[in-house]
PDB file of all heavy atoms in Angstrom:
ATOM      1  N   GLY G 238       6.596 -30.383 -44.770  1.00 95.00           N
ATOM      2  CA  GLY G 238       7.692 -31.149 -45.374  1.00 95.00           C
ATOM      3  C   GLY G 238       7.692 -32.627 -45.130  1.00 95.00           C
ATOM      4  O   GLY G 238       8.361 -33.366 -45.850  1.00 95.00           O
ATOM      5  N   PHE G 239       6.928 -33.083 -44.130  1.00 96.00           N
ATOM      6  CA  PHE G 239       6.965 -34.567 -43.906  1.00 96.00           C
ATOM      7  C   PHE G 239       6.068 -35.261 -44.914  1.00 96.00           C
ATOM      8  O   PHE G 239       5.074 -34.711 -45.426  1.00 96.00           O
ATOM      9  CB  PHE G 239       6.585 -34.919 -42.477  1.00 96.00           C
ATOM     10  CG  PHE G 239       5.121 -34.842 -42.124  1.00 96.00           C
ATOM     11  CD1 PHE G 239       4.280 -35.898 -42.312  1.00 96.00           C
ATOM     12  CD2 PHE G 239       4.644 -33.641 -41.544  1.00 96.00           C
ATOM     13  CE1 PHE G 239       2.946 -35.819 -41.955  1.00 96.00           C
ATOM     14  CE2 PHE G 239       3.285 -33.564 -41.179  1.00 96.00           C
ATOM     15  CZ  PHE G 239       2.455 -34.631 -41.413  1.00 96.00           C
ATOM     16  N   CYS G 240       6.440 -36.487 -45.261  1.00 94.00           N
ATOM     17  CA  CYS G 240       5.744 -37.295 -46.259  1.00 94.00           C
ATOM     18  C   CYS G 240       5.079 -38.515 -45.626  1.00 94.00           C
ATOM     19  O   CYS G 240       5.518 -38.992 -44.569  1.00 94.00           O
ATOM     20  CB  CYS G 240       6.685 -37.753 -47.346  1.00 94.00           C
ATOM     21  SG  CYS G 240       7.389 -36.431 -48.346  1.00 94.00           S
ATOM     22  N   VAL G 241       4.017 -38.992 -46.295  1.00 94.00           N
ATOM     23  CA  VAL G 241       3.320 -40.207 -45.851  1.00 94.00           C
ATOM     24  C   VAL G 241       3.247 -41.171 -47.029  1.00 94.00           C
ATOM     25  O   VAL G 241       2.900 -40.773 -48.152  1.00 94.00           O
ATOM     26  CB  VAL G 241       1.902 -39.898 -45.347  1.00 94.00           C
ATOM     27  CG1 VAL G 241       1.165 -41.158 -44.920  1.00 94.00           C
ATOM     28  CG2 VAL G 241       1.999 -38.890 -44.156  1.00 94.00           C
ATOM     29  N   LEU G 242       3.524 -42.427 -46.776  1.00 90.00           N
ATOM     30  CA  LEU G 242       3.401 -43.468 -47.749  1.00 90.00           C
ATOM     31  C   LEU G 242       2.319 -44.468 -47.336  1.00 90.00           C
ATOM     32  O   LEU G 242       2.317 -44.920 -46.205  1.00 90.00           O
ATOM     33  CB  LEU G 242       4.725 -44.237 -47.868  1.00 90.00           C
ATOM     34  CG  LEU G 242       4.898 -45.379 -48.869  1.00 90.00           C
ATOM     35  CD1 LEU G 242       6.407 -45.566 -49.200  1.00 90.00           C
ATOM     36  CD2 LEU G 242       4.368 -46.720 -48.307  1.00 90.00           C
ATOM     37  N   GLN G 243       1.375 -44.751 -48.255  1.00 85.00           N
ATOM     38  CA  GLN G 243       0.354 -45.720 -48.013  1.00 85.00           C
ATOM     39  C   GLN G 243       0.241 -46.696 -49.159  1.00 85.00           C
ATOM     40  O   GLN G 243       0.627 -46.364 -50.310  1.00 85.00           O
ATOM     41  CB  GLN G 243      -1.028 -45.023 -47.847  1.00 85.00           C
ATOM     42  CG  GLN G 243      -1.230 -44.273 -46.565  1.00 85.00           C
ATOM     43  CD  GLN G 243      -2.683 -43.864 -46.396  1.00 85.00           C
ATOM     44  OE1 GLN G 243      -3.386 -43.706 -47.359  1.00 85.00           O
ATOM     45  NE2 GLN G 243      -3.070 -43.646 -45.177  1.00 85.00           N
ATOM     46  N   VAL G 244      -0.242 -47.883 -48.911  1.00 76.00           N
ATOM     47  CA  VAL G 244      -0.461 -48.889 -49.934  1.00 76.00           C
ATOM     48  C   VAL G 244      -1.932 -49.201 -50.017  1.00 76.00           C
ATOM     49  O   VAL G 244      -2.556 -49.488 -49.029  1.00 76.00           O
ATOM     50  CB  VAL G 244       0.365 -50.151 -49.621  1.00 76.00           C
ATOM     51  CG1 VAL G 244       0.157 -51.235 -50.691  1.00 76.00           C
ATOM     52  CG2 VAL G 244       1.836 -49.815 -49.560  1.00 76.00           C
ATOM     53  N   ASN G 245      -2.455 -49.124 -51.285  1.00 67.00           N
ATOM     54  CA  ASN G 245      -3.901 -49.348 -51.466  1.00 67.00           C
ATOM     55  C   ASN G 245      -4.385 -50.655 -50.880  1.00 67.00           C
ATOM     56  O   ASN G 245      -5.442 -50.749 -50.300  1.00 67.00           O
ATOM     57  CB  ASN G 245      -4.206 -49.328 -52.971  1.00 67.00           C
ATOM     58  CG  ASN G 245      -4.173 -47.912 -53.557  1.00 67.00           C
ATOM     59  OD1 ASN G 245      -4.210 -46.944 -52.787  1.00 67.00           O
ATOM     60  ND2 ASN G 245      -4.062 -47.813 -54.859  1.00 67.00           N
ATOM     61  N   LYS G 246      -3.597 -51.683 -51.052  1.00 64.00           N
ATOM     62  CA  LYS G 246      -4.031 -53.066 -50.661  1.00 64.00           C
ATOM     63  C   LYS G 246      -3.593 -53.379 -49.249  1.00 64.00           C
ATOM     64  O   LYS G 246      -3.817 -54.513 -48.762  1.00 64.00           O
ATOM     65  CB  LYS G 246      -3.437 -54.098 -51.626  1.00 64.00           C
ATOM     66  CG  LYS G 246      -3.833 -53.877 -53.076  1.00 64.00           C
ATOM     67  CD  LYS G 246      -3.085 -54.846 -53.969  1.00 64.00           C
ATOM     68  CE  LYS G 246      -3.386 -54.634 -55.466  1.00 64.00           C
ATOM     69  NZ  LYS G 246      -2.596 -55.506 -56.311  1.00 64.00           N
ATOM     70  N   GLY G 247      -2.952 -52.447 -48.580  1.00 65.00           N
ATOM     71  CA  GLY G 247      -2.331 -52.807 -47.291  1.00 65.00           C
ATOM     72  C   GLY G 247      -1.033 -53.536 -47.501  1.00 65.00           C
ATOM     73  O   GLY G 247      -0.709 -53.952 -48.612  1.00 65.00           O
ATOM     74  N   PHE G 248      -0.221 -53.680 -46.485  1.00 69.00           N
ATOM     75  CA  PHE G 248       1.092 -54.290 -46.614  1.00 69.00           C
ATOM     76  C   PHE G 248       0.965 -55.848 -46.560  1.00 69.00           C
ATOM     77  O   PHE G 248       0.629 -56.404 -45.497  1.00 69.00           O
ATOM     78  CB  PHE G 248       2.032 -53.764 -45.526  1.00 69.00           C
ATOM     79  CG  PHE G 248       2.628 -52.472 -45.893  1.00 69.00           C
ATOM     80  CD1 PHE G 248       1.924 -51.312 -45.807  1.00 69.00           C
ATOM     81  CD2 PHE G 248       3.921 -52.394 -46.413  1.00 69.00           C
ATOM     82  CE1 PHE G 248       2.442 -50.077 -46.174  1.00 69.00           C
ATOM     83  CE2 PHE G 248       4.518 -51.189 -46.762  1.00 69.00           C
ATOM     84  CZ  PHE G 248       3.775 -50.037 -46.668  1.00 69.00           C
ATOM     85  N   ASN G 249       1.262 -56.486 -47.637  1.00 68.00           N
ATOM     86  CA  ASN G 249       1.177 -57.917 -47.741  1.00 68.00           C
ATOM     87  C   ASN G 249       2.166 -58.598 -46.789  1.00 68.00           C
ATOM     88  O   ASN G 249       3.311 -58.160 -46.685  1.00 68.00           O
ATOM     89  CB  ASN G 249       1.489 -58.325 -49.187  1.00 68.00           C
ATOM     90  CG  ASN G 249       1.141 -59.792 -49.466  1.00 68.00           C
ATOM     91  OD1 ASN G 249       1.683 -60.693 -48.808  1.00 68.00           O
ATOM     92  ND2 ASN G 249       0.226 -59.994 -50.410  1.00 68.00           N
ATOM     93  N   PRO G 250       1.707 -59.641 -46.077  1.00 71.00           N
ATOM     94  CA  PRO G 250       2.652 -60.324 -45.174  1.00 71.00           C
ATOM     95  C   PRO G 250       3.913 -60.850 -45.829  1.00 71.00           C
ATOM     96  O   PRO G 250       4.943 -61.025 -45.165  1.00 71.00           O
ATOM     97  CB  PRO G 250       1.781 -61.493 -44.655  1.00 71.00           C
ATOM     98  CG  PRO G 250       0.383 -61.025 -44.765  1.00 71.00           C
ATOM     99  CD  PRO G 250       0.352 -60.182 -46.002  1.00 71.00           C
ATOM    100  N   ARG G 251       3.867 -61.049 -47.170  1.00 71.00           N
ATOM    101  CA  ARG G 251       5.054 -61.525 -47.866  1.00 71.00           C
ATOM    102  C   ARG G 251       6.157 -60.463 -47.904  1.00 71.00           C
ATOM    103  O   ARG G 251       7.300 -60.754 -48.261  1.00 71.00           O
ATOM    104  CB  ARG G 251       4.676 -61.947 -49.301  1.00 71.00           C
ATOM    105  CG  ARG G 251       3.842 -63.213 -49.352  1.00 71.00           C
ATOM    106  CD  ARG G 251       3.282 -63.537 -50.694  1.00 71.00           C
ATOM    107  NE  ARG G 251       4.339 -63.733 -51.670  1.00 71.00           N
ATOM    108  CZ  ARG G 251       4.129 -63.852 -52.990  1.00 71.00           C
ATOM    109  NH1 ARG G 251       2.882 -63.797 -53.458  1.00 71.00           N
ATOM    110  NH2 ARG G 251       5.170 -64.023 -53.810  1.00 71.00           N
TER     111      ARG G 251
END
Side-chain angles (χ1 to χ4, degrees):
F239 75 87
C240 294
V241 178
L242 180 157
Q243 286 191 338
V244 178
N245 287 342
K246 303 174 184 177
F248 278 76
N249 192 299
R251 289 171 62 187

